[in-house]
Amino acid sequence: MKHLLKSLPGALLAVALGACGGGGSTGDVAPVVATDNGFVQGATEAQVYSYISIPYAAPPVGDLRWKAPAPAAAWSDLRNANTQASSCPQAATPFGVASTNEDCLYLSVHTPKGAGPFPVMVWIHGGAFVTGDSSVAGFYDPSKLVPKGVILVTVNYRLGALGFLAHPELSAEQGGSSGNYGLMDQQAALRWVKTNIANFRGDPANVTLFGESAGGYSVLAQVASPLAAGLFHKAIVQSGAYGLASTPSLASAHTGNPTLKRYTGTTFGTRAACTDQSLACLRGLTVAQILAAQAGGDIGPNIDNKVLKSTLATSFATGDFNRVPVVQGTNTDEYTLLSASRLDLTGNPITDANYMTLINPSALGKTVDQINAQYPRANYLVASDVYDAVYTDAGLACPGRAAAQLLSTRVPTYSYEFNDRNAPMYLLPPATRARWGAYHAAELQYLFPTAPASVTYTADQETLKTQMVNYWTQFAKTSNPNGTGPTWPQYTVATDTFMSLNPGTSAVSTDFSSRHKCAGFWTAS
């Protein structure tokens, strides 16, 4: 760092030295802060200092495409950390901005205005591993969490095939494993936090990793990954247990499956017109060609025997995971958003004529009669409600409960259900559905107030926002969400208790399993 200090003029050097020592700023100007690669100048807003888009790894371009993240280059001039970097490559969706720029491995740091040291919360965004970013514009406004006395770090990571392509030629090049580059990016960001966050007045010994949807899956993957040991101390998983028992093996990821739309491995190579499956062809593809080849398919982590050694369920059942306290939860009506975006908005609405075909009971290990017995059509107003209930329960609610059952035998675990069934819709055209309920990602607007100004909340919903922000930040501070609001008991298999996050007053619930038909139908117990 000495060579960087020498490059700064005297007045600026004095500010930088104050930041290095954990001091504040002069007046209300965001302090200059030293990182291991150079100095950064942030911006100030209300109660928050923000340092936007600091590189934590080298751009993964050229020969670095489909490799573990490399160290970021140092800079000698003061870096203006006020401008949002590009999203990682993705198609345009309601959940992310289109991008073809592979230079996207940046993180942002939002700090309170105070002496510190502050607990650190590292956010991993969702988006099915194919879309999304870490920006304020991407729904992650720090203005509620940070003033509670925590530092918020938000992270971009490689998405889609660029982040998760497993391929036999890549494995041959990289010692027998491939894929999971996006998870390795997240680990590189955590290592950056461990090295640098003290200079931002953060506590590197008190880091909470949290995320939603694919971000929640990522958090569980990091809890399971031996490569993430010691990089964080608590975990919050929001709607992320859907891959608990189904992470594909490296061998299956090497081939992919065009019938199941798993566009990895040689299936991806063929779709991208790399029929020789060579690395020269794959690395020669344009980003646009890669996005076209992955479009409409499923891609994400695999059991590469490096980042992940087994399914998450196996890791948690055997105790082979990073032992940190966990908050784990889901939303009451997860699938309304997912089915609307995947079916209704693509011209394939759910109707009485097709709902059972779309459910496809055999793919869930059930028969039509079994689904009808548990989810009789007469009990639901419209056919889409049946579809949504089945996939909410089978795909997210019951896997979330199973994760809590496994984790709670070894680490303190707190389970919740976000249960505001009148949560405003801020992601899709509201008129797409008559009822959204407590849909997938509905809780984000209660932690990050980034819904459009036209969205309004009742007094009880505002109370729920305050409760949730308090629970989340208190957990980050102490490993226990309690301190304000209704008492949230630890989850145990024997009590099977959830905190139902309701508008107005949240309350402990013990009927989660029966409402979501978990024990005896979707799960063994």
Side-chain angles (χ1 to χ4, degrees), residues 468-492:
M468 290 178 61
V469 168
N470 286 340
Y471 280 142
W472 263 239
T473 55
Q474 187 68 14
F475 180 77
K477 293 172 183 178
T478 68
S479 303
N480 185 324
N482 292 292
T484 61
T487 300
W488 185 346
Q490 280 192 38
Y491 181 90
T492 68

Side-chain angles (χ1 to χ4, degrees), residues 283-477:
R283 287 206 171 102
L285 294 169
T286 66
V287 172
Q289 289 172 318
I290 291 170
L291 294 176
Q294 75 180 44
D298 178 36
I299 192 165
N302 77 89
I303 302 169
D304 64 346
N305 302 310
K306 179 182 177 182
V307 179
L308 293 176
K309 299 282 190 178
S310 64
T311 67
L312 305 183
T314 298
S315 293
F316 302 152
T318 60
D320 187 16
F321 65 93
N322 300 309
R323 306 289 183 88
V324 300
V326 176
V327 167
Q328 194 290 137
T330 54
N331 297 355
T332 310
D333 307 289
E334 294 273 8
Y335 241 80
T336 58
L337 176 88
L338 301 173
S339 65
S341 61
R342 296 171 182 175
L343 297 171
D344 297 69
L345 294 178
T346 61
N348 188 26
I350 302 166
T351 66
D352 279 305
N354 69 9
Y355 81 94
M356 190 61 71
T357 299
L358 291 172
I359 289 173
N360 190 7
S362 63
L364 299 172
K366 304 296 180 183
T367 65
V368 170
D369 288 344
Q370 287 173 321
I371 295 294
N372 278 329
Q374 292 292 329
Y375 301 88
R377 173 67 183 85
N379 287 4
Y380 298 88
L381 289 174
V382 292
S384 61
D385 290 349
V386 186
Y387 179 95
D388 293 337
V390 167
Y391 274 94
T392 291
D393 295 351
L396 284 153
C398 297
R401 175 176 174 269
Q405 289 179 310
L406 293 170
L407 291 163
S408 64
T409 63
R410 291 183 169 87
V411 298
T413 302
Y414 298 86
S415 281
Y416 74 85
E417 181 174 38
F418 177 80
N419 199 27
D420 184 358
R421 306 189 84 173
N422 293 304
M425 170 50 69
Y426 69 104
L427 293 164
L428 298 179
T432 307
R433 285 287 177 87
R435 291 166 302 282
W436 290 102
Y439 57 91
H440 191 66
E443 86 283 9
L444 293 182
Q445 62 192 305
Y446 290 66
L447 298 169
F448 305 98
T450 52
S454 58
V455 174
T456 60
Y457 300 90
T458 67
D460 283 347
Q461 288 172 328
E462 292 291 349
T463 298
L464 179 56
K465 288 184 185 182
T466 299
Q467 288 180 343
M468 290 178 61
V469 168
N470 286 340
Y471 280 142
W472 263 239
T473 55
Q474 187 68 14
F475 180 77
K477 293 172 183 178

